[in-house]
Amino acid sequence: AASDVYKRQVMSVAAVVPPTTFHPTISRILLGYQKLSSNSSQPLPYTSLYVPEISLSKYMERISMYGALEDSVLACTLIYIDRYLLTAGAELTSHEVHRLFLTAALVAVKFHYDEFFDNDYYAAIGGITLEELNDLEVDFLNAVEYKLYVDEELHERYMKAIVSYGNVCVRSKLLL
């Protein structure tokens, strides 16, 4: 019964949300983080035993489409990921990037939208349990010390960096 409700919500969202242009670029940026990272000194709570079979780009496309994420919220998601990685003193691997993106996107949606789907919905489209997503959200918020406000200048710099990423290789953490 509950899964039928989510299926209807997913189908109605997918029908009205235009595809975003940012998720492929942000995916490349995060994959670049992995290439620049060595072995992480401390495991993140996002670490999965297995690397998900779905590519990061396809995963981000799925979360963006079914989560109704606009490009400006995706930019904030990247800012939040950068803040998390800087404050946690951690490096990103393929074992945690999917879950970290999902959690940062969830936090961005809740901060920037007045109306949004509940955590159960995001857990379902993200392929993890509600309990796990709730735990990851609490960890994320504590790590960034609940600092979710993004001033206009920083947001604009990230938007421009994402748009121009194809021409110039920018590691976005340097923009903070």
Side-chain angles (χ1 to χ4, degrees):
S3 65
D4 291 336
V5 171
Y6 287 118
K7 286 179 186 174
R8 283 194 299 277
Q9 285 179 328
V10 165
M11 297 318 286
S12 65
V13 168
V16 297
V17 175
T20 176
T21 58
F22 273 27
H23 68 80
T25 304
I26 293 174
S27 173
R28 286 197 324 264
I29 291 170
L30 293 178
L31 289 172
Y33 282 11
Q34 292 176 55
K35 291 177 185 171
L36 294 172
S37 296
S38 60
N39 292 332
S40 184
S41 58
Q42 62 184 47
L44 296 175
Y46 303 88
T47 304
S48 171
L49 292 176
Y50 306 100
V51 175
E53 290 183 22
I54 186 171
S55 72
L56 180 59
S57 182
K58 289 291 184 190
Y59 187 78
M60 291 175 73
E61 179 180 1
R62 175 183 173 81
I63 303 304
S64 298
M65 182 172 62
Y66 296 126
L69 305 181
E70 297 172 345
D71 287 347
S72 63
V73 171
L74 285 169
C76 288
T77 299
L78 183 60
I79 292 169
Y80 292 169
I81 289 171
D82 285 347
R83 285 180 181 173
Y84 179 87
L85 294 173
L86 287 171
T87 59
E91 296 181 2
L92 200 54
T93 73
S94 57
H95 287 267
E96 57 237 353
V97 67
H98 292 74
R99 288 183 170 133
L100 183 58
F101 172 79
L102 174 64
T103 307
L106 171 72
V107 169
V109 163
K110 287 183 172 183
F111 190 78
H112 295 282
Y113 292 153
D114 291 331
E115 295 181 22
F116 46 84
F117 298 110
D118 60 19
N119 283 21
D120 203 24
Y121 178 82
Y122 282 96
I125 64 172
I128 64 174
T129 67
L130 173 60
E131 181 181 14
E132 183 178 11
L133 183 57
N134 289 341
D135 290 345
L136 293 175
E137 181 182 15
V138 169
D139 173 79
F140 188 92
L141 289 168
N142 285 326
V144 298
E145 300 173 345
Y146 289 81
K147 294 178 182 172
L148 302 177
Y149 176 75
V150 175
D151 67 53
E152 190 175 333
E153 179 195 352
L154 181 63
H155 186 266
E156 188 62 28
R157 285 190 303 176
Y158 267 73
M159 293 286 285
K160 287 179 180 175
I162 293 166
V163 169
S164 67
Y165 183 77
N167 298 328
V168 179
C169 183
V170 175
R171 185 165 187 197
S172 64
K173 283 197 279 190
L174 300 176
L175 297 175
L176 285 177

